[in-house]
Amino acid sequence: MEHERCYIYTPPESEGRSSKRQRTRKRDPQPQRAERLATYREIWAQQEDRIQVLSFPLFSMRMSKQYQAALEEADSATQEKIINFVAASTRAEDEPQLSIPTGLVVAGPSIASHGPFFVRLGQRIKEETNSRYAILTSGESPNLKTLLKNLITKITSRIDDDDEELGRPTTSSRKGLKLLNFDLGHVQEWQKMNRVESIVIAIQDSEAFDTGILIELIDLLFSWLDRLPLVLLFGIATSAESFEDRLSGKSLRYLEGQKFDVTQSDEIIEKLFSATIARADVRLRIGPGLSRRILDRQKDHVQNVQDFVDGLKYAYISHFYASYPTVFLQEGLAFEDLSSDVFEAVRNLPSFRRWVEGLLDDRRTHDVRKLLDSDQYLYEKIIEYMDRGQLALSMLSQAVILLTCIREALHMTPQIRLSTIWTRAISGELLGAPLLRETMLTVKKTSSDKLAHVLASLKELDSDENYVSLESFQQELNNLIENNKNSTPLRSQDDVRNESLRTTVVAQKVLLSKHKAALSEQDKAYSDLVAHFHDRLEAYFNAAFVDPRTLFLSEIFMYDLKSPHTEVFQPRPRFAIERALASPHDYLGCDCCGGDQDEATLSATLPATAVLYQLYLNAGALINVSDLWSAFNVMVGDKDAEDESKTMALFQRALAELKNLGMVKPSRKKTDHIAKAMWKGL
Amino acid sequence: MVSAKRKRSDDDAEDATPRKLRARARDGDDVDIPEMQTPSRKARGQPAAEAGTPKSILKKTGLLNGTNGATPRSNRKLLFETPSKSANDQTPNGSPAIVRNADRSARRKSNRKLIDRAINGVDSDDEEALDEEEALAEEILSDEEQQDTEAGAQEEIPVPDTPSKRKPGRPKGSGKRGRPRKEKERSPTPPTELPPHEEYFWQSRPGGTKTSNNTLPSQSLLNHDEYFQAMQAYQDRHEPEKEFLLELHSRAFDQWIFELEEGFNICLYGYGSKRPITEKFTARLYHHLLEQSSEKGSKKTPKIVVINGYTSGTTVKDILTTIASTVIPTNTKLPNQLTSLLAYIVDYLSENAPSQPIPVIINSIDSPYLRKGAVPSILAALAAHPSINLVCTADTPNFPLLWDVGLRSQYKFLFHDATTFAPYEAEIDVVETVNGLLGRSGRRIGGRDGVGFVLRSLPENARSLFRILVTEQLALLLMEGDNLEDDETPATPRNKKITQTKTTSESTQGVEYRVLYHKAVEEFVCSSEVGFRTLLKEFHDHQMIESRKDAMGTERLWVPFRLEELEGLAEDLSGDAL
């Protein structure tokens, strides 16, 4: 089977039974995995719903039809505009047209999302307007001829084949000439039969097209414009200006462009983040380390919504799959459903230990004894503390949202995204951070008009949390504003404009002194109001911004493990291979080689390829195979020279493996030499 | 002080080859005349008076220094002080004079080399040839103090016939004085503990690598039979550990199945053949699916598609048709074109989604056969479909470079390190690869004897054609060899030309198609190109010749043998051995 190219697996007859026996013999290493996975599915389904509501392009491929409508929300506005544009560009039959209606779709630098965007756009265009839609990519259009062939097949072929075969020969024979397969005449014939309002041609990755081809294409399409109702869409990753620069003035005159901006993926990510991770009512949180990692990866490497969701999903999977206590995340869990193992597992959590030590410091030894002995008591405590932890975390998220909202309403610079604030908050470093202090100071200084704005936007948040009695504040503020006769808004006493700096020179020293301007009655009242508001907020933030990692059971409701996540999404295969070859002991764990940590040591017990790899590392850019062989033979070969063929076989195999890994390549500089192609550790 | 000077000039007299040296120096001067404008007129007159007296060289150079050099004094001092010191230092043992003289002459030689090189202009290839002597020179030079080398350098150069020419030689000499110092810093022993990128530049510096000219005797490499025989007898001492590693990986099977169910695809990487893992995993997956379908009460056996990417000639077409055969009823006619076939499969899968996704196992997804052109994007499009579960393995260290962001997001891979240390038994044809690596793919047909065997079964004119090809190739190789020899006695004007021909000869191995054809026509081997092609085809079929288009686009043909074997072949062919 190993040398066959493709085949369908058939199990060897004998092995069927043995593997089954093996399964019954083994003790289940994963207790209650099914329950946990069910919880996972439930929780993830909630998240997925949120994601779908927010919608993003790539999921459309995996979604069932019923979600399609909900899916398109994110860029539905843009799509709507494009569709309107397409619809508007249809015109009366005989009206002469001076230029091709062209949509310049600025879709941003994340090319991974371009394809799906155009696919979805196409679906909507087909559904909502009577038009034909074809996507062209640079890969399938190396020259104009191929491009046209593709275009023609895409436009015409989707019609039932029977129609096509009946229709085409008759028309061409009637004309008495046979059209070449890249002649747009095919499209014209097709259009005669189908009578669509417009033919939309989407150039998905315009940057990757050869400029010459684009120009020729535009010229050609323009010449057909009197016969075909064409609309062009260009996908642009850079900017409309740079697209314009590439085309000549002549071709630009053939186009009548309109620009459409697609929502950039980082904004979608931000939305997704606040909807899935930084939400108040999420049962499983992603910890600070991991969320920072996911966000950084988005920013630096992928910029891809799908990848974000995958990362999140995998975090959920690994949490539930690997950790037994996660079973407590299931709602309505009864004590009887659980085995004693799970309590043992909980007792081994670091946070349990910390908690118990805290209890011991408070001299509540009785409680501790009970926790250690009674599963029932522990169960109750777990349930209680799970709720408390969830509450604390949702309060934290709430506070973060509030903080972000205040900053936005006050137009504070620099603009800090919710995701950033949230990550800082959940790592417990927000309390006492300059960010928070600065915000609070600004709140203190706000004038009445801005405060009204803040209160209004806070009200829109409509959180059930009763941190400040918004209503009463708003009431009071309104009263004050109404009583205010001046056109200027009310100011608080901390406002800078109420202070003046006075410099006096006394005995050749400059004294700076601050003076508060006299406050009006109303200003005083307003100051009191602001101070009150400020104090309430501060108290709320102080209560909310705890370090979640110190909470009991934080391991269960927060997932923050770096280990499987990084390797699974950002593998370092080259490093893995180099490590395997440079220190095989790391993988093999054998007694014979590499007990000591010195990497450079060579011993005959190493696998042959590892020995050769070491020799390879020590060699220069050109390697003489004959010398390599003698070195290898000295290392590996038996001292009695009669048995050289075995060593040679090993040598050849190792050399072939290095070649296959791309580490050496043939060199013709000298006979029997090979060239080094990889340097370790780059 | 004076005595030191004496000694020095005595040494000069002892020098074995003063004439040649002089000639050389003059040679150099001739070449460098355009550079001689710089010295001031004042300086010019003085040495003329002292011309022709080698004993006064030191004084003269000192004067010279005094008149136009920037730091005359310090230089002079050094000249006087150092030699005596070093002489004393160097003669602690019984035979001082001999040792010193030997050292001196060696040093002189090396100095001369340095001078020659500086005069002739430093060429990277030239350097390669000189490097060995240079290393020797450095060793000797570094034994003595730096200043001494300066003195030596000064001693040597100004021995020209005409004083006017000597003078420009001086700045040259001082230029050289800088050189050994630099050379000393780059010591002949390679530096250790360089970061990898520095090591790259260190190892690929011009003339940096010195390798011996040893060659592997052609019998020592094993052929297929010998290789397998040897391998069968071989017992790996790490067998239990490898078993354990495999068992460790197989513990993750449940997890992988779960990940597949969650819509991810899996990519395994790491050193060692991952075929044993995929094999075991396929079996495990098969039973898992079988259980699931029997729970649902269906009698259908699961179908798992296995693709061996490393097998030569694996195409996407094969992959697509195999996948299609698992879902699409056999009596439907599949589209012929790749893209439409793909579209057809994807459409079919979305419309009649199977109850379980179809698992597709690809061994070595990064094999050369699955790398080219549209293949990755087609595979990605397949993998993106929810009804396909892809498990693949990747062998090379840099495989993620195959996929851009778009493809990567379509693949939806989870990567797992699956290092096995298992030998790549099916993936690599060891003997073939090594032969190819060493440019001995001619061994494929059994070497000279094999060629003889094939030729004997071919008609007369085929034999003649092969003979022409072999002799032409031999002639080319020999010409190249001559060039290389010339290279060792370099002369400035020719230097560049030689390096050029050397580099071009590297890229144009073999005989041009046109040339060969005309030769063949001349010798009445064939009368038309068609006939010529037919003859060549026979050779191609037996892998007796190889062809390639060079940088200029001309086709070149060659017999994949090395020089010695070619000579043997030519002998066989010209004689009546065949």
Side-chain angles (χ1 to χ4, degrees):
Chain A
M1 284 318 228
E2 64 196 48
H3 292 295
E4 217 155 304
R5 288 176 198 163
C6 314
Y7 58 95
I8 290 172
Y9 177 77
T10 44
E13 289 305 316
S14 54
E15 273 177 34
R17 254 173 286 131
S18 69
S19 74
K20 242 181 191 169
R21 208 186 306 143
Q22 210 178 7
R23 285 201 69 221
T24 47
R25 230 192 302 131
K26 254 192 289 178
R27 189 176 146 273
D28 189 9
Q30 292 281 345
Q32 290 187 297
R33 185 192 275 166
E35 282 94 331
R36 274 183 280 141
L37 297 186
T39 321
Y40 151 73
R41 292 211 169 89
E42 183 196 332
I43 294 185
W44 179 250
Q46 289 171 5
Q47 290 285 32
E48 207 159 30
D49 279 348
R50 286 177 199 132
I51 294 164
Q52 282 158 12
V53 168
L54 258 174
S55 105
F56 64 98
L58 287 157
F59 247 67
S60 59
M61 294 185 76
R62 290 175 177 270
M63 287 297 101
S64 52
K65 289 249 162 74
Q66 57 193 16
Y67 286 115
Q68 290 281 334
L71 269 176
E72 272 136 34
E73 196 183 302
D75 8 60
S76 62
T78 321
Q79 292 203 350
E80 197 69 53
K81 277 188 212 154
I82 298 176
I83 289 164
N84 287 342
F85 168 74
V86 169
S89 64
T90 55
R91 31 103 214 191
E93 198 77 355
D94 40 315
E95 191 183 321
Q97 218 172 7
L98 297 172
S99 52
I100 314 172
T102 308
L104 306 178
V105 185
V106 183
S110 60
I111 50 163
S113 53
H114 286 197
F117 174 80
F118 276 101
V119 170
R120 262 167 349 100
L121 181 67
Q123 282 166 359
R124 280 194 67 176
I125 288 182
K126 271 181 233 161
E127 278 166 23
E128 296 181 25
T129 61
N130 173 22
S131 39
R132 196 84 194 140
Y133 182 80
I135 301 177
L136 290 175
T137 57
S138 58
E140 57 192 18
S141 320
N143 53 49
L144 190 64
K145 201 170 147 187
T146 338
L147 183 147
L148 287 175
K149 269 189 209 167
N150 274 323
L151 184 65
I152 291 164
T153 44
K154 276 181 184 178
I155 291 180
T156 53
S157 69
R158 286 293 174 141
I159 297 301
D160 297 338
D161 280 1
D162 323 333
D163 262 8
E164 202 71 17
E165 273 156 31
L166 287 176
R168 202 178 276 169
T170 50
T171 44
S172 49
S173 61
R174 217 187 300 136
K175 271 189 190 165
L177 55 103
K178 205 164 186 296
L179 291 173
L180 292 169
N181 58 355
F182 50 89
D183 195 322
L184 283 177
H186 289 302
V187 182
Q188 193 188 2
E189 276 162 29
W190 175 86
Q191 166 68 4
K192 270 182 196 155
M193 293 187 298
N194 291 280
R195 301 252 150 228
V196 292
E197 275 171 18
S198 55
I199 296 171
V200 182
I201 302 170
I203 313 265
Q204 188 182 309
D205 41 355
S206 67
E207 274 89 357
F209 274 83
D210 189 60
T211 312
I213 294 178
L214 274 188
I215 291 174
E216 282 174 4
L217 176 72
I218 291 170
D219 287 356
L220 184 78
L221 290 183
F222 180 72
S223 67
W224 280 88
L225 195 61
D226 49 350
R227 285 152 285 179
L228 295 173
L230 292 167
V231 176
L232 274 175
L233 293 179
F234 286 100
I236 298 173
T238 49
S239 68
E241 285 74 25
S242 71
F243 173 76
E244 207 176 308
D245 285 347
R246 291 179 64 205
L247 298 180
S248 68
K250 185 175 151 230
S251 357
L252 283 177
R253 232 175 306 141
Y254 293 149
L255 301 178
E256 188 184 331
Q258 192 173 339
K259 199 172 119 187
F260 302 96
D261 283 309
V262 178
T263 324
Q264 300 294 302
S265 71
D266 51 344
E267 282 167 39
I268 303 181
I269 295 287
E270 194 59 34
K271 275 189 195 164
L272 271 179
F273 188 88
S274 51
T276 52
I277 297 180
R279 234 181 118 89
D281 55 340
V282 179
R283 269 196 274 167
L284 174 61
R285 301 279 168 180
I286 301 297
L290 193 60
S291 47
R292 200 167 286 155
R293 197 166 280 274
I294 292 178
L295 286 174
D296 283 354
R297 189 166 131 72
Q298 277 298 325
K299 203 166 65 202
D300 300 342
H301 299 290
V302 283
Q303 294 211 331
N304 180 345
V305 184
Q306 165 86 57
D307 200 88
F308 176 83
V309 178
D310 285 349
L312 193 63
K313 186 172 179 180
Y314 194 72
Y316 273 60
I317 288 181
S318 13
H319 187 57
F320 283 101
Y321 194 88
S323 150
Y324 190 11
T326 50
V327 79
F328 286 110
L329 279 170
Q330 196 180 336
E331 272 168 353
L333 194 72
F335 177 67
E336 292 73 38
D337 299 342
L338 297 163
S339 69
S340 63
D341 283 355
V342 71
F343 296 105
E344 227 23 69
V346 169
R347 285 188 188 110
N348 277 314
L349 291 177
S351 73
F352 178 82
R353 218 163 278 187
R354 270 199 304 274
W355 184 50
V356 161
E357 275 164 16
L359 288 181
L360 284 180
D361 287 347
D362 299 343
R363 307 207 166 275
R364 291 163 62 186
T365 44
H366 183 66
D367 286 350
V368 174
R369 169 67 35 210
K370 219 168 156 189
L371 278 176
L372 291 176
D373 290 340
S374 157
D375 284 352
Q376 176 74 41
Y377 184 68
L378 182 60
Y379 168 75
E380 281 158 17
K381 283 286 164 197
I382 287 173
I383 298 297
E384 181 193 337
Y385 273 84
M386 281 296 287
D387 284 349
R388 274 204 220 174
Q390 298 281 16
L391 199 69
L393 277 180
S394 72
M395 201 160 126
L396 181 127
S397 303
Q398 198 81 52
V400 168
I401 295 168
L402 187 74
L403 183 63
T404 322
C405 182
I406 290 176
R407 284 184 70 91
E408 254 167 39
L410 290 175
H411 299 293
M412 285 182 68
T413 51
Q415 274 199 346
I416 300 178
R417 290 174 178 245
L418 174 75
S419 54
T420 322
I421 298 182
W422 192 84
T423 335
R424 293 187 62 184
I426 198 136
S427 52
E429 55 188 42
L430 203 55
L431 206 58
L435 172 77
L436 183 62
R437 235 182 15 246
E438 181 200 10
T439 316
M440 295 313 289
L441 280 177
T442 320
V443 168
K444 237 181 187 176
K445 289 177 193 167
T446 26
S447 52
S448 62
D449 53 342
K450 276 188 181 169
L451 189 68
H453 186 55
V454 170
L455 289 178
S457 58
L458 286 189
K459 210 165 175 198
E460 273 172 32
L461 279 182
D462 78 319
S463 53
D464 38 326
E465 204 75 31
N466 207 8
Y467 47 96
V468 269
S469 36
L470 271 183
E471 293 291 329
S472 63
F473 273 115
Q474 216 160 15
Q475 196 71 46
E476 276 180 58
L477 186 66
N478 283 341
N479 289 343
L480 282 175
I481 291 175
E482 270 166 32
N483 294 338
N484 186 15
K485 308 284 186 302
N486 298 344
S487 57
T488 53
L490 295 166
R491 300 222 170 94
S492 88
Q493 58 177 353
D494 296 300
D495 199 326
V496 213
R497 270 167 295 187
N498 280 339
E499 286 174 1
S500 58
L501 279 181
R502 193 175 290 176
T503 40
T504 40
V505 182
V506 180
Q508 294 186 324
K509 280 182 187 162
V510 180
L511 291 182
L512 276 175
S513 51
K514 281 184 188 173
H515 282 264
K516 301 263 186 223
L519 289 171
S520 65
E521 267 317 295
Q522 280 161 345
D523 277 352
K524 257 184 201 155
Y526 174 70
S527 297
D528 289 345
L529 179 75
V530 169
H532 190 51
F533 180 63
H534 171 264
D535 292 346
R536 290 289 293 276
L537 266 185
E538 193 153 37
Y540 173 67
F541 283 144
N542 280 340
F545 289 140
V546 290
D547 187 349
R549 281 174 293 191
T550 57
L551 297 172
F552 174 46
L553 295 180
S554 65
E555 289 93 343
I556 296 180
F557 51 76
M558 192 165 80
Y559 179 76
D560 196 20
L561 290 179
K562 179 187 142 204
S563 165
H565 198 87
T566 328
E567 282 102 66
V568 152
F569 286 104
Q570 290 158 289
R572 295 194 295 165
R574 180 167 172 177
F575 172 76
I577 289 176
E578 279 172 357
R579 183 176 171 194
L581 289 177
S583 47
H585 177 76
D586 289 3
Y587 282 97
L588 292 174
C590 50
D591 307 324
C592 44
C593 21
D596 46 347
Q597 290 305 305
D598 192 7
E599 272 188 41
T601 49
L602 259 180
S603 69
T605 59
L606 290 173
T609 315
V611 173
L612 197 68
Y613 183 67
Q614 280 298 345
L615 296 174
Y616 161 86
L617 285 182
N618 293 332
L622 261 186
I623 304 169
N624 183 333
V625 178
S626 165
D627 293 348
L628 196 65
W629 154 241
S630 25
F632 184 84
N633 196 14
V634 169
M635 286 295 313
V636 178
D638 291 333
K639 299 296 168 279
D640 30 311
E642 51 178 304
D643 191 22
E644 217 169 58
S645 71
K646 194 191 88 184
T647 323
M648 187 40 124
L650 284 178
F651 176 73
Q652 275 179 281
R653 191 171 81 182
L655 197 60
E657 279 181 13
L658 287 192
K659 163 77 172 55
N660 218 38
L661 293 173
M663 293 183 176
V664 293
K665 58 183 183 196
S667 160
R668 262 187 280 122
K669 272 195 183 138
K670 281 167 114 181
T671 40
D672 276 349
H673 275 59
I674 50 178
K676 199 170 176 177
M678 252 186 225
W679 272 257
K680 192 196 166 201
L682 276 181
Chain B
M1 287 237 174
V2 182
S3 70
K5 213 199 272 177
R6 259 292 133 70
K7 211 185 265 170
R8 210 120 263 277
S9 37
D10 285 347
D11 286 348
D12 246 1
E14 281 164 30
D15 198 331
T17 57
R19 282 193 69 89
K20 203 176 171 187
L21 185 86
R22 214 169 289 151
R24 260 212 199 156
R26 198 181 40 194
D27 248 358
D29 285 351
D30 281 341
V31 172
D32 285 320
I33 279 174
E35 286 177 36
M36 296 185 336
Q37 310 319 17
T38 35
S40 68
R41 203 155 280 173
K42 214 205 269 171
R44 203 163 208 188
Q46 272 175 336
E50 287 158 295
T53 52
K55 295 204 173 175
S56 63
I57 281 166
L58 270 181
K59 204 201 248 167
K60 198 169 51 191
T61 50
L63 274 174
L64 248 165
N65 252 344
T67 45
N68 65 349
T71 54
R73 191 147 293 178
S74 61
N75 215 348
R76 220 191 146 80
K77 244 180 209 161
L78 294 174
L79 281 177
F80 289 124
E81 282 167 14
T82 44
S84 59
K85 232 191 221 166
S86 71
N88 285 342
D89 290 346
Q90 295 235 324
T91 52
N93 55 0
S95 56
I98 296 170
V99 170
R100 196 186 57 217
N101 285 348
D103 257 10
R104 278 279 153 77
S105 69
R107 193 188 65 204
R108 200 142 299 154
K109 240 187 230 164
S110 62
N111 274 335
R112 203 186 313 132
K113 280 273 153 60
L114 291 177
I115 293 157
D116 273 353
R117 207 171 53 162
I119 290 169
N120 291 333
V122 183
D123 197 293
S124 64
D125 277 78
D126 207 357
E127 212 173 343
E128 211 167 294
L130 280 167
D131 237 0
E132 263 173 61
E133 286 96 332
E134 200 180 289
L136 178 68
E138 278 162 27
E139 257 167 42
I140 295 162
L141 288 174
S142 57
D143 277 347
E144 302 192 28
E145 282 178 44
Q146 189 60 48
Q147 292 91 338
D148 205 348
T149 67
E150 286 173 25
Q154 283 172 341
E155 250 169 63
E156 301 293 331
I157 318 109
V159 213
D161 291 15
T162 49
S164 65
K165 272 179 187 168
R166 181 215 309 142
K167 218 206 40 178
R170 247 233 96 244
K172 281 263 139 191
S174 65
K176 244 152 285 144
R177 238 193 298 151
R179 257 205 98 77
R181 209 178 292 151
K182 245 192 261 161
E183 296 296 311
K184 205 183 162 197
E185 281 162 31
R186 302 205 215 151
S187 77
T189 51
T192 49
E193 299 296 314
L194 281 176
H197 55 281
E198 287 297 338
E199 198 170 322
Y200 169 79
F201 288 115
W202 165 255
Q203 289 188 353
S204 8
R205 71 195 190 282
T209 45
K210 288 184 288 285
T211 51
S212 71
N213 288 325
N214 299 343
T215 49
L216 271 179
S218 51
Q219 322 64 293
S220 69
L221 283 178
L222 308 180
N223 63 25
H224 281 98
D225 294 339
E226 290 161 341
Y227 173 76
F228 285 116
Q229 208 177 348
M231 266 310 165
Q232 262 166 7
Y234 174 66
Q235 186 68 41
D236 192 355
R237 59 181 299 137
H238 287 288
E239 214 50 64
E241 281 90 2
K242 287 179 186 171
E243 281 295 316
F244 176 69
L245 213 53
L246 201 59
E247 140 70 16
L248 217 59
H249 290 309
S250 56
R251 281 188 211 164
F253 284 171
D254 280 343
Q255 182 194 335
W256 295 353
I257 290 174
F258 178 58
E259 286 166 358
L260 287 180
E261 280 169 0
E262 284 304 315
F264 289 105
N265 295 313
I266 288 177
C267 179
L268 306 174
Y269 64 91
Y271 170 69
S273 170
K274 286 155 288 290
R275 243 172 11 91
I277 296 187
T278 47
E279 244 166 54
K280 279 181 92 174
F281 180 66
T282 314
R284 175 79 188 77
L285 189 63
Y286 184 84
H287 288 296
H288 176 80
L289 294 178
L290 197 64
E291 263 171 46
Q292 270 200 345
S293 60
S294 64
E295 271 170 30
K296 283 178 195 160
S298 79
K299 280 276 175 320
K300 262 203 273 179
T301 53
K303 284 181 175 170
I304 302 178
V305 180
V306 182
I307 293 148
N308 289 328
Y310 51 80
T311 326
S312 75
T314 309
T315 57
V316 219
K317 182 98 195 218
D318 298 336
I319 299 175
L320 289 181
T321 40
T322 320
I323 291 173
S325 71
T326 60
V327 273
I328 301 170
T330 42
N331 49 10
T332 39
K333 193 171 157 279
L334 295 173
N336 230 348
Q337 262 210 317
L338 268 187
T339 40
S340 39
L341 180 57
L342 174 73
Y344 184 77
I345 293 176
V346 170
D347 285 350
Y348 187 90
L349 283 176
S350 356
E351 274 161 33
N352 335 295
S355 57
Q356 292 163 333
I358 304 155
V360 179
I361 317 274
I362 303 183
N363 287 313
S364 308
I365 199 173
D366 56 346
S367 86
Y369 312 103
L370 299 184
R371 266 186 218 178
K372 299 175 270 198
V375 183
S377 59
I378 289 178
L379 288 180
L382 265 183
H385 197 277
S387 294
I388 300 270
N389 277 341
L390 180 68
V391 178
C392 68
T393 67
D395 297 325
T396 52
N398 294 325
F399 71 90
L401 301 179
L402 285 175
W403 309 311
D404 64 14
V405 189
L407 289 188
R408 184 95 173 247
S409 75
Q410 273 186 295
Y411 270 123
K412 242 187 145 190
F413 271 137
L414 299 178
F415 297 90
H416 292 290
D417 185 345
T419 303
T420 59
F421 278 91
Y424 296 90
E425 265 159 13
E427 287 95 328
I428 309 182
D429 183 345
V430 170
V431 178
E432 235 358 79
T433 315
V434 172
N435 281 338
L437 197 59
L438 300 180
R440 301 183 186 203
S441 32
R443 281 168 54 90
R444 201 163 20 204
I445 51 162
R448 234 166 87 185
D449 300 341
V451 171
F453 187 76
V454 173
L455 284 184
R456 242 169 284 153
S457 64
L458 290 179
E460 176 66 35
N461 49 358
R463 251 173 282 168
S464 313
L465 177 61
F466 200 74
R467 180 174 45 85
I468 297 169
L469 178 57
V470 169
T471 33
E472 284 293 310
Q473 196 178 332
L474 261 178
L476 275 175
L477 279 173
L478 289 174
M479 266 165 63
E480 216 174 275
D482 283 349
N483 281 347
L484 283 175
E485 276 161 32
D486 283 352
D487 223 19
E488 279 162 24
T489 53
T492 326
R494 285 176 61 199
N495 239 340
K496 269 186 190 157
K497 223 166 80 190
I498 287 166
T499 49
Q500 267 172 9
T501 51
K502 204 179 156 202
T503 46
T504 45
S505 70
E506 241 173 47
S507 62
T508 58
Q509 180 200 28
V511 186
E512 239 179 83
Y513 176 84
R514 277 279 128 206
V515 172
L516 187 65
Y517 172 63
H518 286 301
K519 289 259 177 195
V521 172
E522 270 169 31
E523 300 207 14
F524 302 109
V525 169
C526 53
S527 52
S528 68
E529 198 163 342
V530 183
F532 181 62
R533 280 263 163 213
T534 342
L535 291 174
L536 282 184
K537 174 134 194 327
E538 195 72 44
F539 297 150
H540 258 296
D541 290 348
H542 289 94
Q543 299 173 311
M544 286 158 61
I545 57 169
E546 288 179 14
S547 75
R548 189 178 42 210
K549 289 228 165 90
D550 67 4
M552 302 294 292
T554 47
E555 193 180 350
R556 291 186 166 272
L557 305 162
W558 73 91
V559 187
F561 284 107
R562 289 158 5 128
L563 188 62
E564 308 89 69
E565 286 166 311
L566 275 180
E567 276 166 351
L569 259 181
E571 238 168 68
D572 290 355
L573 284 162
S574 58
D576 283 328
L578 296 178

